[in-house]
Amino acid sequence: MANGFALPALSHVLRRLLLDAAPQDDLSFLGATGWQVSMLAPDLVKRGDKDPPLLNLFLYQVGRNSGWHNRDARTYDGGGNRIAAPPLALDLRYLVTAYGNKAYQAEALLAHALLALHDRPTLTRAFIADSLELPPAPDKIEKQIAASGLAEQAESVQLSVDNLSIDELSRLWSGFNLGLRPSVSLLATVLLLSSRRTPRPAAPVAARTITTVPLGRPVIETVAAEAGAHLPIEPGTRITLSGEGLYEPSMVLLLGGIDAAALLDKAAPGFPTTLTLALPASLPAGMLAGVQTAQVRHGVRIAGEASPRPLLASNLAAFLLRPRVAAAAEDGGTERAILVDFAHEIGDRQSVSVTLEEVVGGALTGNRFAATVPEGNPDAAPPEDLPRPPRVDLRRVWARTSAPAGTFRVLASVDGIASVPHALADDPKVTLS
């Protein structure tokens, strides 16, 4: 990489390239002064009627090279410590201008300069090193330029002529408050300047741990009621998961995204090929009726770590979890309504419908009445023309009904999935006065 003196060193090398552009056969068109190359701002080039012809090289723009800038985008770690020292990558633009007092002089100068640039599109290390050789009695800046490290930078400097439009050239020259002269814009890319910051070295590796474990993905093929694959699954049902490679001591068993490993019955028939678990009569918080999923996750123990990592997961096996009414009671308000308690939570976006089946003398009469649950599943009578208050009991809904006084069995549907009727003596009932 090069230091800060590489920028004037590059200008020095380009001046040497333009000096070598002089034709070797005939320089008579230049007059007695010969081939000259200056390095001044155009507004500082003072020209008289008898001044000799001249080429001028002026650095007018320095910009960041986007390609190299993006190579080391992350130079700091999370703690703000510098972990890399990318170079400052620059693109340089020079204005090469030809001056002459006689016809064709400026055009001839510019043409020979363009031929020299065309024949050397890349500044090789050998050419740069040769151009930076010290003169017999060098001054301090010449010594610094020679030691800039430009010839040792990682990437070669490429030269190309910028095709500036007449409008761009006009604006450029108007910035010098001068009239337009025969000139071209030269692009030199890329100059890499070494950063003066020292990155913080990475911490050494104290120990290397390699753990090899066999990996086999568990697969769930079926989720069904233990009593029979054709029977419904509801709160209180024992269910079985069958498949391949399901059990592992550190496994996590998820039902509806909730850890249900504690419900696993290791004494059930078929264990560990088949996993059996008993759903509680009152489901855990967050487990809703409807389409649910089961998944098994296995842990992989890495040497030196206290607990296994859950790296292996089975497929998601879907099953239908039917709703179940746990209790019901008359609301006792100013309108005919009931409060229905479920064995599971009811989501705010779940639709609920309630059906009342008339019971007389311990038997069903066949008369059915609907109980309407307002949108939002309130657990109390919704206020009139006021915002509905937040729910307090996520397992309870409020439903109004037109059923007459009497005793009724309470059934419900959640998201179109109906609860399962059981023996009439066991199902929840409500008495309306």
Side-chain angles (χ1 to χ4, degrees), residues 114-160:
L114 289 173
L115 278 174
L117 296 172
H118 173 74
D119 292 338
R120 192 179 293 276
T122 301
L123 297 180
T124 63
R125 292 186 178 185
F127 181 81
I128 294 174
D130 182 62
S131 301
L132 295 181
E133 284 187 359
L134 290 173
D139 56 22
K140 186 174 182 180
I141 187 63
E142 289 174 330
K143 293 179 181 179
Q144 291 169 323
I145 287 176
S148 64
L150 177 62
E152 288 77 37
Q153 79 166 21
E155 186 168 325
S156 300
V157 179
Q158 306 292 323
L159 303 179
S160 61

Short mmCIF file of all heavy atoms in Angstrom, two decimals, residues 114-160:
data_model
loop_
_atom_site.label_atom_id
_atom_site.label_comp_id
_atom_site.label_asym_id
_atom_site.label_seq_id
_atom_site.Cartn_x
_atom_site.Cartn_y
_atom_site.Cartn_z
N LEU A 114 -2.34 12.10 -26.40
CA LEU A 114 -3.36 11.06 -26.42
C LEU A 114 -2.80 9.74 -26.90
O LEU A 114 -3.19 8.67 -26.41
CB LEU A 114 -4.53 11.51 -27.30
CG LEU A 114 -5.41 12.64 -26.73
CD1 LEU A 114 -6.42 13.10 -27.78
CD2 LEU A 114 -6.11 12.19 -25.47
N LEU A 115 -1.90 9.76 -27.88
CA LEU A 115 -1.27 8.52 -28.34
C LEU A 115 -0.46 7.87 -27.23
O LEU A 115 -0.48 6.64 -27.06
CB LEU A 115 -0.37 8.81 -29.55
CG LEU A 115 -1.07 8.91 -30.90
CD1 LEU A 115 -0.09 9.35 -31.98
CD2 LEU A 115 -1.70 7.56 -31.28
N ALA A 116 0.26 8.68 -26.45
CA ALA A 116 1.03 8.13 -25.34
C ALA A 116 0.12 7.49 -24.30
O ALA A 116 0.42 6.41 -23.76
CB ALA A 116 1.88 9.24 -24.70
N LEU A 117 -1.00 8.11 -24.00
CA LEU A 117 -1.96 7.54 -23.04
C LEU A 117 -2.62 6.29 -23.60
O LEU A 117 -2.89 5.34 -22.87
CB LEU A 117 -3.03 8.58 -22.68
CG LEU A 117 -2.52 9.84 -21.96
CD1 LEU A 117 -3.64 10.87 -21.84
CD2 LEU A 117 -1.98 9.48 -20.58
N HIS A 118 -2.89 6.31 -24.91
CA HIS A 118 -3.49 5.14 -25.55
C HIS A 118 -2.54 3.94 -25.54
O HIS A 118 -2.97 2.80 -25.34
CB HIS A 118 -3.88 5.50 -26.99
CG HIS A 118 -4.36 4.33 -27.79
ND1 HIS A 118 -5.60 3.76 -27.60
CD2 HIS A 118 -3.75 3.60 -28.78
CE1 HIS A 118 -5.75 2.74 -28.44
NE2 HIS A 118 -4.63 2.62 -29.16
N ASP A 119 -1.24 4.19 -25.73
CA ASP A 119 -0.27 3.10 -25.78
C ASP A 119 0.09 2.57 -24.39
O ASP A 119 0.65 1.48 -24.28
CB ASP A 119 1.02 3.58 -26.48
CG ASP A 119 0.80 3.84 -27.96
OD1 ASP A 119 -0.17 3.28 -28.52
OD2 ASP A 119 1.58 4.61 -28.55
N ARG A 120 -0.19 3.33 -23.34
CA ARG A 120 0.11 2.85 -21.98
C ARG A 120 -1.14 3.02 -21.10
O ARG A 120 -1.22 3.90 -20.27
CB ARG A 120 1.30 3.61 -21.39
CG ARG A 120 1.84 2.97 -20.11
CD ARG A 120 3.04 3.74 -19.57
NE ARG A 120 4.19 3.65 -20.46
CZ ARG A 120 5.06 2.64 -20.45
NH1 ARG A 120 4.89 1.63 -19.60
NH2 ARG A 120 6.09 2.63 -21.27
N PRO A 121 -2.16 2.15 -21.29
CA PRO A 121 -3.38 2.26 -20.47
C PRO A 121 -3.18 1.83 -19.03
O PRO A 121 -4.03 2.13 -18.19
CB PRO A 121 -4.36 1.33 -21.20
CG PRO A 121 -3.49 0.32 -21.88
CD PRO A 121 -2.23 1.05 -22.27
N THR A 122 -2.08 1.12 -18.74
CA THR A 122 -1.81 0.68 -17.38
C THR A 122 -0.43 1.14 -16.96
O THR A 122 0.55 0.95 -17.71
CB THR A 122 -1.89 -0.86 -17.28
OG1 THR A 122 -3.19 -1.30 -17.68
CG2 THR A 122 -1.63 -1.33 -15.86
N LEU A 123 -0.36 1.73 -15.79
CA LEU A 123 0.95 2.12 -15.25
C LEU A 123 1.53 0.92 -14.51
O LEU A 123 1.11 0.58 -13.42
CB LEU A 123 0.80 3.31 -14.30
CG LEU A 123 0.26 4.61 -14.92
CD1 LEU A 123 0.17 5.71 -13.86
CD2 LEU A 123 1.13 5.06 -16.08
N THR A 124 2.50 0.26 -15.15
CA THR A 124 3.11 -0.93 -14.53
C THR A 124 4.01 -0.52 -13.38
O THR A 124 4.45 0.65 -13.27
CB THR A 124 3.91 -1.70 -15.57
OG1 THR A 124 4.99 -0.87 -16.05
CG2 THR A 124 3.03 -2.10 -16.76
N ARG A 125 4.33 -1.48 -12.54
CA ARG A 125 5.22 -1.20 -11.42
C ARG A 125 6.60 -0.78 -11.90
O ARG A 125 7.25 0.09 -11.31
CB ARG A 125 5.32 -2.44 -10.53
CG ARG A 125 4.02 -2.77 -9.81
CD ARG A 125 4.20 -3.90 -8.84
NE ARG A 125 2.96 -4.17 -8.12
CZ ARG A 125 2.85 -5.06 -7.14
NH1 ARG A 125 3.91 -5.78 -6.78
NH2 ARG A 125 1.70 -5.24 -6.53
N ALA A 126 7.06 -1.43 -12.98
CA ALA A 126 8.39 -1.09 -13.50
C ALA A 126 8.42 0.35 -14.01
O ALA A 126 9.38 1.09 -13.76
CB ALA A 126 8.77 -2.05 -14.62
N PHE A 127 7.36 0.77 -14.71
CA PHE A 127 7.32 2.13 -15.24
C PHE A 127 7.26 3.14 -14.10
O PHE A 127 7.93 4.18 -14.13
CB PHE A 127 6.13 2.31 -16.18
CG PHE A 127 6.04 3.67 -16.78
CD1 PHE A 127 6.81 4.02 -17.87
CD2 PHE A 127 5.18 4.63 -16.25
CE1 PHE A 127 6.74 5.29 -18.44
CE2 PHE A 127 5.09 5.89 -16.80
CZ PHE A 127 5.87 6.23 -17.90
N ILE A 128 6.44 2.84 -13.08
CA ILE A 128 6.33 3.76 -11.94
C ILE A 128 7.66 3.86 -11.21
O ILE A 128 8.13 4.96 -10.87
CB ILE A 128 5.21 3.29 -10.98
CG1 ILE A 128 3.84 3.40 -11.66
CG2 ILE A 128 5.22 4.10 -9.70
CD1 ILE A 128 2.70 2.83 -10.84
N ALA A 129 8.30 2.71 -10.95
CA ALA A 129 9.58 2.74 -10.24
C ALA A 129 10.63 3.50 -11.04
O ALA A 129 11.43 4.27 -10.46
CB ALA A 129 10.04 1.30 -9.99
N ASP A 130 10.65 3.32 -12.36
CA ASP A 130 11.61 4.04 -13.20
C ASP A 130 11.34 5.55 -13.19
O ASP A 130 12.26 6.37 -13.17
CB ASP A 130 11.55 3.49 -14.62
CG ASP A 130 12.56 4.16 -15.54
OD1 ASP A 130 13.77 4.04 -15.27
OD2 ASP A 130 12.12 4.82 -16.51
N SER A 131 10.04 5.90 -13.18
CA SER A 131 9.68 7.33 -13.20
C SER A 131 9.99 8.02 -11.88
O SER A 131 10.19 9.24 -11.86
CB SER A 131 8.18 7.49 -13.51
OG SER A 131 7.85 6.91 -14.75
N LEU A 132 10.06 7.26 -10.81
CA LEU A 132 10.28 7.85 -9.48
C LEU A 132 11.74 7.78 -9.05
O LEU A 132 12.05 8.02 -7.87
CB LEU A 132 9.40 7.14 -8.44
CG LEU A 132 7.88 7.31 -8.61
CD1 LEU A 132 7.13 6.58 -7.52
CD2 LEU A 132 7.49 8.79 -8.61
N GLU A 133 12.65 7.43 -9.96
CA GLU A 133 14.07 7.42 -9.60
C GLU A 133 14.52 8.84 -9.23
O GLU A 133 14.13 9.82 -9.86
CB GLU A 133 14.90 6.91 -10.77
CG GLU A 133 14.82 5.40 -10.95
CD GLU A 133 15.80 4.92 -12.00
OE1 GLU A 133 16.51 5.78 -12.58
OE2 GLU A 133 15.87 3.70 -12.24
N LEU A 134 15.33 8.89 -8.19
CA LEU A 134 15.76 10.19 -7.68
C LEU A 134 16.75 10.85 -8.64
O LEU A 134 17.62 10.18 -9.23
CB LEU A 134 16.41 10.03 -6.31
CG LEU A 134 15.47 9.65 -5.16
CD1 LEU A 134 16.27 9.35 -3.91
CD2 LEU A 134 14.48 10.78 -4.90
N PRO A 135 16.65 12.15 -8.79
CA PRO A 135 17.64 12.89 -9.58
C PRO A 135 18.98 12.96 -8.82
O PRO A 135 19.06 12.58 -7.66
CB PRO A 135 16.99 14.27 -9.74
CG PRO A 135 16.09 14.41 -8.57
CD PRO A 135 15.59 13.03 -8.27
N PRO A 136 20.04 13.45 -9.45
CA PRO A 136 21.35 13.48 -8.78
C PRO A 136 21.35 14.25 -7.46
O PRO A 136 22.02 13.83 -6.51
CB PRO A 136 22.24 14.17 -9.83
CG PRO A 136 21.58 13.87 -11.13
CD PRO A 136 20.11 13.87 -10.86
N ALA A 137 20.64 15.34 -7.37
CA ALA A 137 20.62 16.12 -6.13
C ALA A 137 19.17 16.35 -5.71
O ALA A 137 18.60 17.44 -5.88
CB ALA A 137 21.36 17.44 -6.32
N PRO A 138 18.50 15.32 -5.17
CA PRO A 138 17.07 15.45 -4.86
C PRO A 138 16.81 16.35 -3.67
O PRO A 138 17.62 16.42 -2.73
CB PRO A 138 16.67 14.00 -4.55
CG PRO A 138 17.91 13.37 -4.02
CD PRO A 138 19.05 14.01 -4.78
N ASP A 139 15.68 17.03 -3.74
CA ASP A 139 15.26 17.79 -2.55
C ASP A 139 14.37 16.91 -1.68
O ASP A 139 14.12 15.75 -1.99
CB ASP A 139 14.55 19.08 -2.97
CG ASP A 139 13.36 18.83 -3.88
OD1 ASP A 139 12.83 17.70 -3.86
OD2 ASP A 139 12.96 19.75 -4.61
N LYS A 140 13.85 17.48 -0.60
CA LYS A 140 13.11 16.67 0.40
C LYS A 140 11.82 16.09 -0.18
O LYS A 140 11.51 14.91 0.03
CB LYS A 140 12.79 17.53 1.62
CG LYS A 140 12.17 16.75 2.76
CD LYS A 140 12.00 17.61 4.00
CE LYS A 140 11.42 16.80 5.15
NZ LYS A 140 11.25 17.63 6.38
N ILE A 141 11.06 16.89 -0.93
CA ILE A 141 9.79 16.39 -1.46
C ILE A 141 10.03 15.30 -2.49
O ILE A 141 9.27 14.32 -2.58
CB ILE A 141 8.95 17.55 -2.06
CG1 ILE A 141 7.55 17.04 -2.47
CG2 ILE A 141 9.67 18.18 -3.23
CD1 ILE A 141 6.73 16.53 -1.34
N GLU A 142 11.12 15.38 -3.26
CA GLU A 142 11.43 14.35 -4.24
C GLU A 142 11.77 13.04 -3.54
O GLU A 142 11.41 11.95 -4.02
CB GLU A 142 12.56 14.80 -5.14
CG GLU A 142 12.16 15.91 -6.11
CD GLU A 142 13.34 16.45 -6.91
OE1 GLU A 142 14.47 16.44 -6.37
OE2 GLU A 142 13.13 16.88 -8.05
N LYS A 143 12.45 13.12 -2.40
CA LYS A 143 12.74 11.91 -1.64
C LYS A 143 11.45 11.28 -1.09
O LYS A 143 11.30 10.06 -1.09
CB LYS A 143 13.69 12.24 -0.49
CG LYS A 143 15.09 12.66 -0.92
CD LYS A 143 15.95 12.99 0.28
CE LYS A 143 17.35 13.44 -0.14
NZ LYS A 143 18.21 13.79 1.02
N GLN A 144 10.55 12.13 -0.62
CA GLN A 144 9.28 11.60 -0.08
C GLN A 144 8.43 10.98 -1.17
O GLN A 144 7.78 9.94 -0.96
CB GLN A 144 8.52 12.74 0.64
CG GLN A 144 9.20 13.20 1.91
CD GLN A 144 8.60 14.48 2.45
OE1 GLN A 144 8.21 15.38 1.70
NE2 GLN A 144 8.53 14.59 3.78
N ILE A 145 8.42 11.58 -2.35
CA ILE A 145 7.66 11.02 -3.47
C ILE A 145 8.25 9.69 -3.89
O ILE A 145 7.52 8.72 -4.16
CB ILE A 145 7.63 12.03 -4.63
CG1 ILE A 145 6.69 13.19 -4.29
CG2 ILE A 145 7.17 11.35 -5.92
CD1 ILE A 145 6.65 14.28 -5.33
N ALA A 146 9.57 9.59 -3.93
CA ALA A 146 10.22 8.34 -4.33
C ALA A 146 9.93 7.22 -3.33
O ALA A 146 9.89 6.04 -3.71
CB ALA A 146 11.72 8.56 -4.47
N ALA A 147 9.72 7.57 -2.06
CA ALA A 147 9.47 6.57 -1.01
C ALA A 147 7.98 6.40 -0.73
O ALA A 147 7.60 5.86 0.30
CB ALA A 147 10.20 6.95 0.27
N SER A 148 7.11 6.86 -1.63
CA SER A 148 5.66 6.84 -1.38
C SER A 148 5.06 5.44 -1.40
O SER A 148 3.97 5.23 -0.87
CB SER A 148 4.95 7.72 -2.40
OG SER A 148 5.12 7.18 -3.72
N GLY A 149 5.71 4.49 -2.05
CA GLY A 149 5.16 3.14 -2.16
C GLY A 149 4.15 2.97 -3.27
O GLY A 149 3.44 1.96 -3.33
N LEU A 150 4.10 3.94 -4.20
CA LEU A 150 3.12 3.85 -5.28
C LEU A 150 3.35 2.61 -6.15
O LEU A 150 2.40 1.96 -6.58
CB LEU A 150 3.19 5.12 -6.14
CG LEU A 150 2.28 5.16 -7.37
CD1 LEU A 150 0.82 5.08 -6.97
CD2 LEU A 150 2.54 6.43 -8.19
N ALA A 151 4.61 2.27 -6.40
CA ALA A 151 4.90 1.11 -7.25
C ALA A 151 4.54 -0.21 -6.59
O ALA A 151 4.40 -1.23 -7.27
CB ALA A 151 6.38 1.09 -7.64
N GLU A 152 4.36 -0.23 -5.27
CA GLU A 152 4.07 -1.48 -4.55
C GLU A 152 2.61 -1.63 -4.18
O GLU A 152 2.25 -2.57 -3.47
CB GLU A 152 4.91 -1.54 -3.26
CG GLU A 152 6.39 -1.79 -3.47
CD GLU A 152 7.11 -0.53 -3.93
OE1 GLU A 152 6.74 0.56 -3.44
OE2 GLU A 152 8.01 -0.64 -4.79
N GLN A 153 1.73 -0.73 -4.62
CA GLN A 153 0.33 -0.87 -4.22
C GLN A 153 -0.29 -2.12 -4.86
O GLN A 153 0.18 -2.62 -5.87
CB GLN A 153 -0.46 0.38 -4.58
CG GLN A 153 -0.89 0.52 -6.01
CD GLN A 153 -1.96 1.60 -6.18
OE1 GLN A 153 -2.12 2.49 -5.35
NE2 GLN A 153 -2.70 1.52 -7.26
N ALA A 154 -1.37 -2.63 -4.24
CA ALA A 154 -1.92 -3.94 -4.59
C ALA A 154 -2.49 -3.99 -6.00
O ALA A 154 -2.46 -5.03 -6.64
CB ALA A 154 -3.00 -4.34 -3.59
N GLU A 155 -3.01 -2.89 -6.51
CA GLU A 155 -3.66 -2.89 -7.82
C GLU A 155 -3.00 -1.87 -8.73
O GLU A 155 -2.61 -0.78 -8.28
CB GLU A 155 -5.15 -2.59 -7.67
CG GLU A 155 -5.93 -2.72 -8.96
CD GLU A 155 -7.44 -2.68 -8.73
OE1 GLU A 155 -7.89 -3.20 -7.69
OE2 GLU A 155 -8.16 -2.16 -9.60
N SER A 156 -2.90 -2.21 -9.99
CA SER A 156 -2.29 -1.29 -10.95
C SER A 156 -3.21 -0.10 -11.21
O SER A 156 -4.44 -0.19 -11.08
CB SER A 156 -2.01 -2.01 -12.27
OG SER A 156 -1.12 -3.09 -12.09
N VAL A 157 -2.59 1.01 -11.59
CA VAL A 157 -3.35 2.21 -11.93
C VAL A 157 -3.72 2.14 -13.42
O VAL A 157 -2.85 1.97 -14.27
CB VAL A 157 -2.53 3.48 -11.64
CG1 VAL A 157 -3.33 4.72 -12.04
CG2 VAL A 157 -2.15 3.54 -10.17
N GLN A 158 -5.01 2.27 -13.70
CA GLN A 158 -5.52 2.24 -15.07
C GLN A 158 -5.81 3.66 -15.55
O GLN A 158 -6.34 4.48 -14.79
CB GLN A 158 -6.81 1.40 -15.14
CG GLN A 158 -6.69 0.00 -14.58
CD GLN A 158 -5.78 -0.88 -15.41
OE1 GLN A 158 -5.77 -0.79 -16.64
NE2 GLN A 158 -5.01 -1.74 -14.74
N LEU A 159 -5.47 3.93 -16.81
CA LEU A 159 -5.68 5.26 -17.39
C LEU A 159 -6.71 5.16 -18.51
O LEU A 159 -6.69 4.23 -19.31
CB LEU A 159 -4.37 5.81 -17.97
CG LEU A 159 -3.19 5.91 -16.99
CD1 LEU A 159 -1.96 6.45 -17.71
CD2 LEU A 159 -3.54 6.81 -15.80
N SER A 160 -7.59 6.14 -18.57
CA SER A 160 -8.58 6.21 -19.64
C SER A 160 -9.00 7.66 -19.83
O SER A 160 -8.92 8.47 -18.89
CB SER A 160 -9.81 5.34 -19.33
OG SER A 160 -10.44 5.78 -18.14
#
